Amino acid sequence: MSNYFQNFPQVDYKFGDETTFTRFQHLGTAVDILEQVRKYDVYYQTYEIQNGERPEQLSYKLYDNVNYYWTFYLLNDHLRTGGWPLPDFDVWQKAQQYYPNTVISTSAVVQEKVPKLIDTGSDILIEYVPTEKQKPLCTSEWVRVGNWVWFKNSKTAGKILKVDQKTGYVTTDAQGVREAGVELSMEVIEEDEALMVIENPDYIPVKRHEEIQIMDDGVMPEYDAPHHFEDAEGNWIWPEYHDEYPHPLKNFKFVDIDIDRQGGYDTKPEPEAPYPDPNDPSKKGWTAVSSDINSINSISNYQRIRELNVKQRTISVIKRDTIRQVVREFDSLLKQR
């Protein structure tokens, strides 16, 4: 047991709903002896915390005394704010805990659907069928946080938690979404029907308002999804995107076809469905121009947590030959409070 608090001055304190006071250490007491130590590197040295090494273990390793681990926290602001670094295995578990959802990389092209009466011969059914109208994700009325999506082949549904307009990534709490080669698209449905799918996976929703294509390798656990992107020098960047028509995946930017026709770019890519025809003036719309993506590196949420955890391992520790002097001075100052 650490004796860190034994010399703290005591105050009267009420705990919870108690009506009587209890004498207890004044935890807000502070002395600046450790701040003074930080000004003179003759008193401390840099140490790299080993994987799985605990504070009390390190205290004994450095000082032959387990009770000096509190000096690590007072000497290192990042330990007080971010905590002691986790063992590598716990970082993986923490990433899964922090990022439990599913991220879908979409084409950022939304296919509208409208209700249509279908005569089966024996019955009249209402079915939502695709229209010719397609639009960018950023203009979608239905792919919005709080709405629900259905994955037909996976027989599952979930709520939309996040829509990243810069990348086209859609985060959902749907469980059991199969890989992109099996699940080709997702559709926005009503909440009541989504809950019916969750209750009965074989249920097929009727009201399917919009559909959006899933990119290759576009289904990923949230901990494996990009936290950010970096260039070759390690600088944080995001794929270029047009303010109005962001494309999701490979550092695309959208170009208004009329502008393109006026010579805004030296070359013009061949249009691919579902983009409008640039040779038909009546079909003003948007197309995609690919830019250089070779130097972009995707850093996943798990990688980011791991990087932060590694940074926590570099700390300052009081040198062995001065630790007792510093602790005595610390205790002496506390007794004067």
Side-chain angles (χ1 to χ4, degrees):
M1 171 83 62
S2 171
N3 56 7
Y4 171 62
F5 294 107
Q6 70 178 6
N7 291 317
F8 274 52
Q10 294 191 340
V11 294
D12 291 329
Y13 189 81
K14 285 184 179 180
F15 289 92
D17 297 330
E18 291 182 1
T19 58
T20 59
F21 287 94
T22 302
R23 296 292 289 175
F24 196 79
Q25 285 91 350
H26 184 8
L27 302 183
T29 304
V31 294
D32 64 356
I33 180 63
L34 272 298
E35 293 295 329
Q36 298 300 319
V37 168
R38 278 199 277 193
K39 295 179 180 180
Y40 305 100
D41 57 11
V42 68
Y43 291 109
Y44 67 89
Q45 63 191 32
T46 300
Y47 181 83
E48 197 75 18
I49 299 172
Q50 302 303 300
N51 180 39
E53 194 169 41
R54 299 298 306 153
E56 62 278 8
Q57 292 172 335
L58 178 56
S59 177
Y60 187 81
K61 177 180 180 180
L62 296 176
Y63 312 123
D64 292 329
N65 189 324
V66 297
N67 290 324
Y68 295 152
Y69 68 84
W70 53 268
T71 61
F72 306 146
Y73 292 91
L74 294 189
L75 200 58
N76 297 274
D77 293 337
H78 68 288
L79 288 184
R80 293 203 301 274
T81 58
W84 194 262
L86 298 172
D88 291 341
F89 181 74
D90 289 349
V91 174
W92 170 247
Q93 292 183 321
K94 186 66 67 175
Q96 294 177 300
Q97 176 185 343
Y98 282 172
Y99 300 100
N101 302 300
T102 302
V103 175
I104 310 298
S105 176
T106 74
S107 65
V109 179
V110 176
Q111 173 76 60
E112 288 191 358
K113 291 192 167 186
V114 295
K116 182 178 180 180
L117 293 177
I118 304 295
D119 188 352
T120 65
S122 60
D123 202 356
I124 302 294
L125 303 176
I126 298 178
E127 184 174 338
Y128 278 65
V129 298
T131 69
E132 294 183 357
K133 187 174 182 181
Q134 295 169 323
K135 57 187 179 183
L137 173 62
C138 59
T139 64
S140 169
E141 299 175 4
W142 289 97
V143 185
R144 290 285 183 263
V145 172
N147 286 344
W148 295 74
V149 286
W150 175 56
F151 299 89
K152 179 179 179 180
N153 294 330
S154 302
K155 296 184 177 181
T156 188
K159 182 182 291 187
I160 297 176
L161 304 177
K162 180 181 178 182
V163 179
D164 191 330
Q165 298 293 351
K166 291 182 179 180
T167 61
Y169 292 125
V170 177
T171 304
T172 171
D173 62 3
Q175 301 297 311
V177 182
R178 302 173 68 182
E179 63 271 15
V182 175
E183 200 62 71
L184 303 179
S185 66
M186 64 180 183
E187 300 178 66
V188 184
I189 62 176
E190 300 282 348
E191 178 179 359
D192 59 341
E193 293 201 284
L195 296 177
M196 293 177 69
V197 170
I198 295 173
E199 180 71 22
N200 175 19
D202 290 324
Y203 176 77
I204 298 178
V206 176
K207 297 179 180 179
R208 309 200 292 270
H209 301 285
E210 288 180 343
E211 184 174 6
I212 189 167
Q213 180 185 355
I214 297 175
M215 304 295 288
D216 293 340
D217 299 321
V219 178
M220 63 197 94
E222 190 179 15
Y223 55 79
D224 267 345
H227 177 276
H228 66 276
F229 298 88
E230 295 180 358
D231 62 17
E233 286 73 41
N235 300 311
W236 285 30
I237 58 174
W238 285 99
E240 296 178 8
Y241 70 103
H242 186 286
D243 289 340
E244 189 175 358
Y245 302 130
H247 189 277
L249 193 61
K250 296 183 177 179
N251 199 26
F252 276 82
K253 55 186 175 181
F254 280 89
V255 183
D256 188 287
I257 290 175
D258 284 351
I259 297 176
D260 192 27
R261 189 178 291 113
Q262 295 170 10
Y265 289 83
D266 295 332
T267 59
K268 182 164 56 181
E270 290 295 325
E272 297 181 0
Y275 307 119
D277 183 1
N279 300 311
D280 185 346
S282 67
K283 295 183 179 180
K284 176 183 177 181
W286 39 281
T287 186
V289 179
S290 178
S291 57
D292 183 18
I293 63 171
N294 295 329
S295 62
I296 290 182
N297 183 34
S298 171
I299 306 300
S300 72
N301 289 313
Y302 166 62
Q303 287 176 294
R304 178 59 178 165
I305 290 180
R306 189 174 60 186
E307 288 175 356
L308 293 175
N309 192 66
V310 168
K311 289 181 179 180
Q312 290 294 101
R313 292 181 175 177
T314 303
I315 64 172
S316 297
V317 297
I318 300 172
K319 291 182 178 179
R320 181 185 181 93
D321 57 358
T322 59
I323 183 65
R324 287 177 174 81
Q325 175 188 347
V326 171
V327 171
R328 281 197 301 268
E329 183 65 21
F330 181 83
D331 288 340
S332 175
L333 291 173
L334 277 176
K335 291 176 181 178
Q336 297 173 23
R337 295 302 174 103

